[in-house]
Amino acid sequence: KVVDNLKPPAAARVEVSVDGAPFRGPANSPVTIVEFSDFECPFCKRAHPTLMQLLEKYAGKVKLVYRDFPLESIHPQARRAAEAARCANDQGKFWDYYDTLFTESPKLAPDDLKRYAAQAGIDVKKFDDCLSGGVHKTALQKDIDEGTRLGVTGTPAFFINGRPLTGAQPVEAFARIIDEELARATASR
């Protein structure tokens, strides 16, 4: 008779900073998904509806945090789009703008970015001043540096309570980790 006394290995976790990053969902959610993404990336665009499904499925239990990781070598408009989203965030419209950028990508020319701002009800003059002034270049670079430190080499890259998940995965891949993390949070009460 064989008895298996092995326990599964602990999940690999990393500490991911979310300070000042825009988020959807309750601030004190037991599960935090940090998304490192690129607005021009076709795989990030493909992951967007999956994330929206997860926020609906796990309403009140999951927080989605957005971090920029534009891959400029293959997506020349991604950095500008990331800066534009941050300018939208200055006016409290980040998530409206985020949704529009992923819906409309890869149409991210400067005129497109302005049009999307107007559609989102953003003060276009302030938006233009912010974007042309490079107000968010340093903050954007901090996201890129943080992603690099964490080993992000492509997008989309996710960290679910610090557990890495790479690529445009199906809902089930996220749900498996989220369910484990929810069970862990319940057990630790």
Side-chain angles (χ1 to χ4, degrees):
K1 188 173 180 181
V2 176
V3 177
D4 179 4
N5 292 321
L6 295 174
K7 291 183 170 43
R13 289 180 200 282
V14 294
E15 191 68 36
V16 184
S17 171
V18 296
D19 293 342
F23 67 90
R24 271 182 168 158
N28 62 347
S29 297
V31 176
T32 298
I33 301 172
V34 180
E35 170 188 12
F36 280 87
S37 196
D38 171 331
F39 289 113
E40 197 174 351
C41 164
F43 299 103
C44 300
K45 180 176 181 159
R46 190 180 310 158
H48 181 254
T50 301
L51 293 170
M52 297 309 103
Q53 281 179 286
L54 291 167
L55 287 173
E56 190 175 309
K57 179 177 180 174
Y58 294 100
K61 297 176 184 171
V62 170
K63 172 173 71 171
L64 173 64
V65 179
Y66 186 82
R67 303 287 306 267
D68 288 300
F69 201 81
L71 301 172
E72 294 177 274
S73 62
I74 55 174
H75 301 137
Q77 299 178 94
R79 181 180 280 267
R80 188 114 174 120
E83 287 185 49
R86 287 169 180 265
C87 291
N89 190 43
D90 290 348
Q91 296 186 44
K93 297 285 190 170
F94 177 82
W95 292 105
D96 294 333
Y97 203 76
Y98 162 99
D99 291 337
T100 300
L101 288 176
F102 279 125
T103 301
E104 299 295 333
S105 181
K107 296 182 215 145
L108 302 172
D111 288 344
D112 294 324
L113 298 176
K114 282 183 199 176
R115 188 173 73 253
Y116 305 151
Q119 288 169 357
I122 294 169
D123 179 324
V124 178
K125 168 83 172 93
K126 285 182 186 173
F127 175 85
D128 255 355
D129 291 346
C130 173
L131 196 53
S132 63
V135 172
H136 295 290
K137 282 186 181 189
T138 303
L140 178 61
Q141 191 58 49
K142 282 184 182 174
D143 273 13
I144 295 167
D145 294 345
E146 171 78 351
T148 302
R149 180 188 73 76
L150 294 168
V152 174
T153 56
T155 54
F158 304 95
F159 294 90
I160 304 170
N161 282 2
R163 295 172 61 181
L165 182 67
T166 304
Q169 299 287 333
V171 168
E172 297 77 27
F174 286 92
R176 187 172 45 255
I177 297 173
I178 291 169
D179 290 341
E180 288 172 10
E181 290 301 307
L182 288 171
R184 184 172 159 257
T186 302
S188 68
R189 285 186 193 165

